[in-house]
Amino acid sequence: MIIILLGPPGAGKGTQAQRLEREHGLKQLSTGDMLRSAAKSGTDVGLRAKEVMDRGELVSDDIVVQIIAEALTRDECVNGYILDGFPRTVAQAGALDAMLEQRGTKLNAVVEIVVPEDVLVERISGRFACAKCGATYHDKFHLPKKDCVCDECGGTEFVRRDDDRPDAVRQRLKVYKAQTEPLLPYYRERGILIRIDGNRPMDEVAAEIDRQLGIENLKPPKCDDGDAAGTAG
Ligand code: AP5
């Protein structure tokens, strides 16, 4: 199963993609995470991308298309994957269509997570993540179960993103409206767009996504016998 998660900054794409990977074995492919990791490694591409990201602008189509093209060849995508933050422009959507066609696969659904702007700003300003595994938390809505210990990996260091400053957030919201919202009619016309009200508690959003995708019973593949629960991507 191949799914795109679409939505403005702070809508909950990363939160839901991490959960879909954990609960259903669909690999999360986050271009934002991949670019942040390249920046952390200090590669040329990563450092140039970081400057653009910190301003709240989009990294060039060529770079992100290349990153996704490489990711799709990985074995971990074989049971299906979630594109989290890609595509973000009509040009990227066209490039994705070409990549999927070349691989003989197709998109199953595009999930748009809808959240009002004032709520987005509150979510982004309270967000922090585990420095070790990237699991996402929130000062008010989602604290680790044990104080200062990551639920997922036991890590004890947490980070906040450089592009979560108010000026960069305003720019990211503007860029989403101008460059990414045009993807909604693109996918609606193809009959694969699903709209989810994301302004609800996380578990309600999760249940609605699973119900609309029909994956309530999809389990992650078992590691011991290579039994694949999903369909190849
Ligand atoms: P990216 O990392 O993709 O950021 P984004 O799209 O701005 O989205 P966010 O990660 O801010 O939000 P989210 O929707 O994942 O929300 P989250 O689950 O964390 O991209 C960053 C930058 O990289 C871009 O600006 C661009 O420069 C570059 N880039 C990336 N992809 C690119 C591409 N394809 N092309 C060009 N450039 C690209 O949730 C937010 C907070 O809310 C968390 O604290 C969470 O705990 C909380 N929360 C989540 N759901 C709920 C809920 N239901 N109720 C209450 N709280 C909730």
mmCIF file of all heavy atoms in Angstrom, residues 23-24 207 209-219:
data_model
loop_
_atom_site.group_PDB
_atom_site.id
_atom_site.type_symbol
_atom_site.label_atom_id
_atom_site.label_comp_id
_atom_site.label_asym_id
_atom_site.label_seq_id
_atom_site.Cartn_x
_atom_site.Cartn_y
_atom_site.Cartn_z
ATOM 1 N N GLU A 23 2.313 0.524 13.855
ATOM 2 C CA GLU A 23 1.157 -0.366 14.009
ATOM 3 C C GLU A 23 0.871 -1.224 12.783
ATOM 4 O O GLU A 23 0.284 -2.288 12.903
ATOM 5 C CB GLU A 23 -0.101 0.458 14.332
ATOM 6 C CG GLU A 23 -0.017 1.140 15.684
ATOM 7 C CD GLU A 23 -1.265 1.956 16.020
ATOM 8 O OE1 GLU A 23 -2.238 1.947 15.232
ATOM 9 O OE2 GLU A 23 -1.238 2.613 17.073
ATOM 10 N N HIS A 24 1.250 -0.722 11.599
ATOM 11 C CA HIS A 24 0.862 -1.443 10.387
ATOM 12 C C HIS A 24 2.038 -1.825 9.487
ATOM 13 O O HIS A 24 1.842 -2.436 8.429
ATOM 14 C CB HIS A 24 -0.126 -0.596 9.572
ATOM 15 C CG HIS A 24 -1.378 -0.251 10.324
ATOM 16 N ND1 HIS A 24 -2.249 -1.203 10.795
ATOM 17 C CD2 HIS A 24 -1.893 0.941 10.718
ATOM 18 C CE1 HIS A 24 -3.253 -0.614 11.425
ATOM 19 N NE2 HIS A 24 -3.063 0.686 11.401
ATOM 20 N N ALA A 207 -7.795 6.472 14.308
ATOM 21 C CA ALA A 207 -8.862 5.499 14.023
ATOM 22 C C ALA A 207 -9.568 5.854 12.716
ATOM 23 O O ALA A 207 -9.909 4.970 11.920
ATOM 24 C CB ALA A 207 -9.858 5.462 15.182
ATOM 25 N N ILE A 209 -8.302 7.543 10.135
ATOM 26 C CA ILE A 209 -7.412 7.247 8.996
ATOM 27 C C ILE A 209 -7.462 5.746 8.682
ATOM 28 O O ILE A 209 -7.647 5.339 7.541
ATOM 29 C CB ILE A 209 -5.958 7.702 9.294
ATOM 30 C CG1 ILE A 209 -5.880 9.230 9.324
ATOM 31 C CG2 ILE A 209 -4.979 7.133 8.270
ATOM 32 C CD1 ILE A 209 -4.508 9.795 9.693
ATOM 33 N N ASP A 210 -7.332 4.922 9.719
ATOM 34 C CA ASP A 210 -7.315 3.466 9.504
ATOM 35 C C ASP A 210 -8.627 2.996 8.888
ATOM 36 O O ASP A 210 -8.649 2.147 7.996
ATOM 37 C CB ASP A 210 -7.069 2.732 10.834
ATOM 38 C CG ASP A 210 -5.630 2.874 11.291
ATOM 39 O OD1 ASP A 210 -4.884 3.636 10.650
ATOM 40 O OD2 ASP A 210 -5.256 2.239 12.287
ATOM 41 N N ARG A 211 -9.744 3.580 9.388
ATOM 42 C CA ARG A 211 -11.055 3.160 8.889
ATOM 43 C C ARG A 211 -11.198 3.536 7.409
ATOM 44 O O ARG A 211 -11.577 2.732 6.584
ATOM 45 C CB ARG A 211 -12.147 3.837 9.731
ATOM 46 C CG ARG A 211 -13.543 3.255 9.532
ATOM 47 C CD ARG A 211 -14.583 4.026 10.309
ATOM 48 N NE ARG A 211 -14.741 5.394 9.840
ATOM 49 C CZ ARG A 211 -15.376 5.745 8.725
ATOM 50 N NH1 ARG A 211 -15.924 4.836 7.960
ATOM 51 N NH2 ARG A 211 -15.458 7.020 8.377
ATOM 52 N N GLN A 212 -10.822 4.779 7.105
ATOM 53 C CA GLN A 212 -10.996 5.229 5.714
ATOM 54 C C GLN A 212 -10.068 4.474 4.753
ATOM 55 O O GLN A 212 -10.398 4.277 3.595
ATOM 56 C CB GLN A 212 -10.715 6.731 5.619
ATOM 57 C CG GLN A 212 -11.737 7.552 6.373
ATOM 58 C CD GLN A 212 -12.539 8.437 5.434
ATOM 59 O OE1 GLN A 212 -12.620 8.218 4.235
ATOM 60 N NE2 GLN A 212 -13.141 9.474 6.010
ATOM 61 N N LEU A 213 -8.900 4.071 5.256
ATOM 62 C CA LEU A 213 -7.980 3.311 4.394
ATOM 63 C C LEU A 213 -8.303 1.817 4.403
ATOM 64 O O LEU A 213 -7.755 1.056 3.601
ATOM 65 C CB LEU A 213 -6.522 3.511 4.848
ATOM 66 C CG LEU A 213 -5.919 4.912 4.662
ATOM 67 C CD1 LEU A 213 -4.518 4.966 5.274
ATOM 68 C CD2 LEU A 213 -5.849 5.287 3.183
ATOM 69 N N GLY A 214 -9.160 1.402 5.347
ATOM 70 C CA GLY A 214 -9.519 -0.021 5.443
ATOM 71 C C GLY A 214 -8.356 -0.871 5.919
ATOM 72 O O GLY A 214 -8.184 -2.016 5.488
ATOM 73 N N ILE A 215 -7.525 -0.319 6.836
ATOM 74 C CA ILE A 215 -6.337 -1.079 7.271
ATOM 75 C C ILE A 215 -6.388 -1.404 8.767
ATOM 76 O O ILE A 215 -5.354 -1.664 9.376
ATOM 77 C CB ILE A 215 -5.021 -0.318 6.952
ATOM 78 C CG1 ILE A 215 -5.012 1.074 7.597
ATOM 79 C CG2 ILE A 215 -4.791 -0.229 5.458
ATOM 80 C CD1 ILE A 215 -3.651 1.727 7.588
ATOM 81 N N GLU A 216 -7.598 -1.381 9.355
ATOM 82 C CA GLU A 216 -7.699 -1.630 10.804
ATOM 83 C C GLU A 216 -7.006 -2.939 11.189
ATOM 84 O O GLU A 216 -6.440 -3.063 12.260
ATOM 85 C CB GLU A 216 -9.168 -1.715 11.261
ATOM 86 C CG GLU A 216 -9.978 -0.455 11.058
ATOM 87 C CD GLU A 216 -10.805 -0.491 9.780
ATOM 88 O OE1 GLU A 216 -10.305 -1.023 8.764
ATOM 89 O OE2 GLU A 216 -11.934 0.008 9.797
ATOM 90 N N ASN A 217 -7.056 -3.939 10.311
ATOM 91 C CA ASN A 217 -6.500 -5.253 10.673
ATOM 92 C C ASN A 217 -5.141 -5.537 10.047
ATOM 93 O O ASN A 217 -4.634 -6.650 10.130
ATOM 94 C CB ASN A 217 -7.480 -6.360 10.263
ATOM 95 C CG ASN A 217 -8.791 -6.195 10.989
ATOM 96 O OD1 ASN A 217 -8.808 -5.890 12.188
ATOM 97 N ND2 ASN A 217 -9.905 -6.335 10.274
ATOM 98 N N LEU A 218 -4.570 -4.529 9.409
ATOM 99 C CA LEU A 218 -3.257 -4.741 8.769
ATOM 100 C C LEU A 218 -2.165 -4.744 9.840
ATOM 101 O O LEU A 218 -1.983 -3.773 10.570
ATOM 102 C CB LEU A 218 -2.982 -3.616 7.755
ATOM 103 C CG LEU A 218 -1.639 -3.673 7.026
ATOM 104 C CD1 LEU A 218 -1.555 -4.899 6.126
ATOM 105 C CD2 LEU A 218 -1.430 -2.405 6.201
ATOM 106 N N LYS A 219 -1.459 -5.882 9.945
ATOM 107 C CA LYS A 219 -0.404 -6.012 10.964
ATOM 108 C C LYS A 219 0.963 -5.862 10.312
ATOM 109 O O LYS A 219 1.118 -6.190 9.137
ATOM 110 C CB LYS A 219 -0.478 -7.411 11.613
ATOM 111 C CG LYS A 219 -1.792 -7.699 12.300
ATOM 112 C CD LYS A 219 -1.753 -7.210 13.736
ATOM 113 C CE LYS A 219 -3.062 -7.449 14.468
ATOM 114 N NZ LYS A 219 -4.011 -6.347 14.428
#
